[in-house]
Amino acid sequence: MLVAPSILSADFGNLEKDVKEICEGGCDLVHVDVMDGHFVPNLTIGPPVVSAVAKAATKPLDVHLMVENNTFFVDLFAPYKPKYITFHIEEEKHPHRLVQHIRSLGISPGIVLNPHTPAEAVEYLLSDLDMVLLMSVNPGFGGQSFLPLVIEKTKRMKALIEKTGSKALIQVDGGVNNKNVKELEAAGCDIVVAGSYVFKQEDRKAAIDSLK
Ligand code: DX5
Ligand code: ZN
């Protein structure tokens, strides 16, 4: 299981230290939650902070956009060279075009699905994606409870990925801990995002190891 700690739950007064600890602790990606106060009722970070995170990180960045104007934000964060940028299917009129745009910038494109959005919503995009992110909470805040519906949805997405011959990885985000990670793994999840679970523990390496 690959692990992407979400820095949303880090100590923003000591962000450099927290980013270094998760990287040294063996995380695979550094998950960066970008919220605009419109698509979700919360506001997080912009280019100055992402720039600081990129400098501190020794693992690739995974930028999760929760915003209204996706293309604007893709272009805003592309200079920091994230490995992945994912955007919400619910907020994009032309997802296929945006996927191509992200790839043209040398970044791996991914699409995020809110809890209510069926797996089939991205069926015809799968062959162009490197990642599909299934939300297991309503986007906007860390520390929420895991929605078990994502287990069935992960299985369904895995079947669609196999059917279409896609190479997309399945990522699950929200309320992940060392208990539900086992069910996620069995369902076909490749990467878990974990915010509060990782950052509430003093020993970040032990927290990451327990998810792996
Ligand atoms: C929610 C974010 C998540 C969240 C994860 O909108 O996308 O990445 O911060 O935090 P936990 O693991 O605490 O649910
Ligand atoms: Zn996220």
Side-chain angles (χ1 to χ4, degrees):
M1 180 65 75
L2 301 176
V3 176
S6 164
I7 59 158
L8 189 60
S9 298
D11 174 1
F12 275 56
N14 292 287
L15 199 48
E16 182 182 17
K17 173 178 161 283
D18 276 2
V19 169
K20 285 189 167 151
E21 278 183 15
I22 54 170
C23 291
E24 285 160 13
C27 76
D28 298 283
L29 296 168
V30 176
H31 187 80
V32 178
D33 287 306
V34 176
M35 307 183 189
D36 69 348
H38 295 279
F39 178 64
V40 288
N42 196 4
L43 187 62
T44 57
I45 59 179
V49 178
V50 173
S51 170
V53 171
K55 278 192 196 117
T58 51
K59 298 291 171 67
L61 301 194
D62 167 34
V63 174
H64 172 191
L65 297 179
M66 285 161 272
V67 300
E68 278 190 351
N69 190 345
N70 285 305
T71 306
F72 170 79
F73 283 93
V74 165
D75 292 341
L76 201 59
F77 292 115
Y80 306 105
K81 304 195 183 316
K83 179 167 172 60
Y84 293 98
I85 294 184
T86 61
F87 65 87
H88 276 258
I89 190 74
E90 300 85 8
E91 194 54 51
E92 185 51 52
K93 283 199 188 94
H94 300 290
H96 189 267
R97 179 183 292 153
L98 185 55
V99 164
Q100 289 173 310
H101 178 59
I102 293 171
R103 202 178 285 289
S104 77
L105 296 167
I107 299 165
S108 294
I111 292 187
V112 194
L113 282 71
N114 270 340
H116 75 280
T117 303
E120 288 75 12
V122 294
E123 180 171 357
Y124 296 106
L125 294 159
L126 280 176
S127 56
D128 293 299
L129 297 181
D130 290 347
M131 183 146 78
V132 178
L133 169 47
L134 305 179
M135 292 306 299
S136 41
V137 297
N138 287 296
F141 302 94
Q144 302 180 80
S145 298
F146 181 81
L147 297 170
L149 61 84
V150 82
I151 300 289
E152 169 64 27
K153 198 160 149 186
T154 301
K155 291 180 190 164
R156 200 179 270 242
M157 187 61 80
K158 184 80 180 169
L160 282 178
I161 285 174
E162 280 167 7
K163 178 179 146 190
T164 56
S166 164
K167 293 191 175 63
L169 298 176
I170 301 178
Q171 185 179 47
V172 174
D173 182 3
V176 172
N177 56 40
N178 61 340
K179 309 247 162 26
N180 51 35
V181 73
K182 295 186 186 115
E183 263 188 292
L184 288 170
E185 203 249 338
C189 171
D190 302 292
I191 310 175
V192 285
V193 175
S196 48
Y197 178 77
V198 167
F199 284 103
K200 77 182 175 205
Q201 298 184 47
E202 275 294 305
D203 187 343
R204 274 74 199 255
K205 183 180 181 331
I208 291 166
D209 283 348
S210 72
L211 294 172
K212 283 178 173 281

